Amino acid sequence: NNNSNNNNDDDDDTIPTFHSQDEQQKASDYANYFSAYADLHHQKIMLTDTHRMTAYHDAIMKNQHVFRDKVVMDVGSGSGILAVWAAKAGAKRVYAVEYTDMAKHARKVVEANGVDHVVTVIQGAVEDVTIPVEDWEAFHLQTEDGGAATAKECPAADDDDASISCKQQQSKVVDIIISEWMGYFLLRESMLDSVIRARDMFLKPKSGILLPSHATMLIAPIMNEDHHMVIEEYLEGMDDWNDYLVNAKKQYGVDMSILTEEYDKEQRDYYLKSSHYVQLDGDTILAPPSVVKTLDLAVCTLEDAKGVDETEFSFDIESSGGGAEDDEEINGFAGWFTVDFQSRTDEVGKQFGAKMTNPVHFSSSPEIGDTHWGQQAFYFASAIPIQSNGKVKIDGTMEMIRSKENARLYNVKLQYTIGAIAADGLNNVMDMVESVYKIP
């Protein structure tokens, strides 16, 4: 169990707040993560994801009673479309927070749709923004206890703890936080950290709601023909390298074979030790999925967002008996996620939170159809054959931790045993397999 990796003393795996980042860190984070979201081409990929758009549209427009006369914050607003919907649903004030220059486009979208009197676009990291002082009186902003927000001065930002505490006390005037923060296999990109910080700074703790409200991560064994292509590409890459070695020696008189081991490692890391983005069909899933993590956005912590603690799974995969048994095999696992837009389920929230009378469920499962998230495939180095009329049992654990090199990326560790049960009842249990994959 490597859960100790989730608790580094130096907080390597925590996404730094913008209070603590120097200019070099900000520039690096922008280059590695934020920059793509400043492009309309990248926004279009998300805006044309019908399943994504329908889920958010229905969550807002079919629950207008929840938004009416409320204060809403859209974290990572992008093009601003969620903020526009919130305004059209009756919100009295909407803060669309966007770090990149996409904020300039969002302002145009807001104005073009006639809701600029409700929506204000704030360009900046959500960890770094404040509620506009002029709004406190103009929109009658109130904290949960009924007190009007006040414009009292907080300590300077260099006094981090005191400054943040002061801001939190006077800025919890938001009724709804809406955000499309999910990355590949839910957590990649680590935007959830920003949503949690926004919740703790701005959301009314008893009655405030987050949309989506809950999230679930799942894995399942798969049979996907792309696995063979991945293996072939790896082998072809090594063949090309070996051809190069012969030519380099013959034509230029230089022996480059000393680099073969390192080249092979690079190829293996890319093809065999990294997850692959896939758009799977439902029939590639060989067993009901196993839940490896659930999140309640109203109460989850930054620690929860760091990854997945070692979690058990068990799969029983039977031969389909469909006449092509000799070709049946298990060639990896796939991971995906679901999110729900529903009422709060924590004890405090159940009592005080707004009721989502028309809850919405979204899934990036292969059975739903294509989404821009797709699934992450964790391919085996060698496929596991399923004997005719036989069964394969896979028991193991999954763990997911942040990469030490880049806290917005993750590594997935899978440990499992494989038991092959033949038609005659003979049971063959193989040794424990341990694999670590990067999610690029």
Side-chain angles (χ1 to χ4, degrees):
N1 185 332
N2 285 345
N3 288 346
S4 58
N5 290 344
N6 287 1
N7 296 291
N8 294 338
D9 292 336
D10 56 0
D11 274 335
D12 279 328
D13 52 358
T14 299
I15 300 301
T17 69
F18 279 74
H19 293 294
S20 66
Q21 282 185 309
D22 59 26
E23 290 307 312
Q24 185 175 353
Q25 285 177 308
K26 285 185 181 181
S28 176
D29 205 29
Y30 185 87
N32 291 329
Y33 170 60
F34 285 108
S35 58
Y37 290 93
D39 297 333
L40 282 170
H41 170 74
H42 192 279
Q43 293 289 328
K44 178 176 171 289
I45 293 172
M46 297 182 288
L47 293 169
T48 53
D49 181 339
T50 304
H51 294 291
R52 168 191 186 265
M53 298 300 288
T54 301
Y56 276 88
H57 182 265
D58 288 353
I60 296 170
M61 302 311 292
K62 292 185 178 180
N63 291 282
Q64 294 187 35
H65 63 285
V66 173
F67 284 80
R68 195 167 296 121
D69 298 323
K70 293 296 192 291
V71 178
V72 178
M73 179 174 283
D74 177 9
V75 177
S77 190
S79 65
I81 192 167
L82 302 186
V84 170
W85 287 339
K88 289 181 177 291
K92 71 175 181 180
R93 193 55 161 163
V94 180
Y95 300 108
V97 182
E98 172 58 36
Y99 180 65
T100 75
D101 281 344
M102 187 56 59
K104 297 173 183 176
H105 296 308
R107 289 192 184 99
K108 294 177 183 177
V109 170
V110 166
E111 186 174 352
N113 285 273
V115 292
D116 50 316
H117 62 295
V118 175
V119 180
T120 183
V121 178
I122 303 174
Q123 185 168 3
V126 73
E127 295 91 342
D128 218 23
V129 305
T130 56
I131 301 293
V133 173
E134 60 272 20
D135 282 10
W136 296 341
E137 185 174 345
F139 291 91
H140 307 292
L141 302 183
Q142 290 188 326
T143 55
E144 202 156 48
D145 59 10
T150 60
K152 72 175 183 176
E153 288 295 321
C154 287
D158 56 2
D159 187 4
D160 281 353
D161 291 342
S163 175
I164 293 171
S165 177
C166 173
K167 286 180 182 178
Q168 286 178 338
Q169 292 307 312
Q170 65 170 320
S171 60
K172 292 188 177 183
V173 295
V174 172
D175 299 289
I176 302 166
I177 288 178
I178 190 161
S179 179
E180 198 277 76
W181 54 267
M182 300 84 75
Y184 293 152
F185 202 17
L186 190 68
L187 294 180
R188 183 187 179 274
E189 297 181 358
S190 301
M191 187 182 163
L192 178 56
D193 292 46
S194 293
V195 175
I196 292 171
R197 290 193 176 110
R199 179 200 69 192
D200 292 346
M201 182 169 282
F202 297 109
L203 192 68
K204 294 178 180 177
K206 291 182 180 178
S207 61
I209 62 171
L210 292 99
L211 297 175
S213 56
H214 299 77
T216 303
M217 298 172 65
L218 307 100
I219 64 167
I222 58 171
M223 179 171 64
N224 182 27
E225 58 189 25
D226 286 356
H227 172 256
H228 299 286
M229 293 171 52
V230 170
I231 300 297
E232 285 174 13
E233 287 174 8
Y234 160 69
L235 294 173
E236 287 173 3
M238 291 310 302
D239 286 344
D240 288 346
W241 173 259
N242 290 325
D243 289 343
Y244 162 74
L245 293 180
V246 173
N247 291 333
K249 183 78 171 177
K250 183 177 179 179
Q251 288 185 263
Y252 307 116
V254 178
D255 182 1
M256 301 291 285
S257 61
I258 189 69
L259 301 180
T260 297
E261 184 177 343
E262 190 60 34
Y263 186 82
D264 183 53
K265 180 182 182 303
E266 283 184 11
Q267 294 291 98
R268 283 181 172 273
D269 284 349
Y270 179 77
Y271 287 107
L272 305 179
K273 295 184 178 180
S274 295
S275 62
H276 292 260
Y277 174 89
V278 291
Q279 294 274 11
L280 298 173
D281 295 326
D283 58 7
T284 60
I285 306 300
L286 299 176
S290 179
V291 172
V292 292
K293 189 177 184 75
T294 59
L295 288 164
D296 181 343
L297 274 291
V299 296
C300 68
T301 64
L302 289 172
E303 192 67 28
D304 294 326
K306 286 183 179 180
V308 178
D309 291 337
E310 195 171 271
T311 302
E312 293 183 353
F313 59 77
S314 181
F315 299 111
D316 291 314
I317 305 108
E318 295 186 8
S319 165
S320 67
E325 294 89 343
D326 292 341
D327 297 324
E328 286 190 294
E329 62 185 22
I330 308 159
N331 44 41
F333 296 106
W336 65 89
F337 68 87
T338 68
V339 292
D340 289 281
F341 303 77
Q342 63 182 57
S343 306
R344 279 175 61 167
T345 55
D346 60 294
E347 287 307 312
V348 173
K350 282 194 290 189
Q351 184 176 354
F352 297 101
K355 305 305 178 192
M356 293 282 290
T357 52
N358 294 298
V360 172
H361 178 75
F362 170 86
S363 174
S364 62
S365 162
E367 296 168 326
I368 298 302
D370 291 354
T371 72
H372 80 281
W373 285 284
Q375 299 85 35
Q376 290 293 300
F378 305 93
Y379 288 129
F380 300 153
S382 300
I384 304 167
I386 308 173
Q387 294 185 18
S388 176
N389 297 316
K391 184 168 76 170
V392 173
K393 185 173 179 61
I394 304 178
D395 294 308
T397 61
M398 191 201 97
E399 184 180 5
M400 184 166 160
I401 60 175
R402 284 187 174 155
S403 164
K404 287 183 168 60
E405 292 78 27
N406 184 345
R408 292 195 182 276
L409 302 180
Y410 288 80
N411 296 329
V412 170
K413 181 179 179 181
L414 291 160
Q415 293 179 292
Y416 52 92
T417 57
I418 304 161
I421 304 172
D424 58 12
L426 291 176
N427 191 354
N428 177 29
V429 179
M430 304 176 196
D431 292 336
M432 172 75 73
V433 177
E434 180 177 311
S435 301
V436 177
Y437 301 84
K438 295 179 181 178
I439 301 182

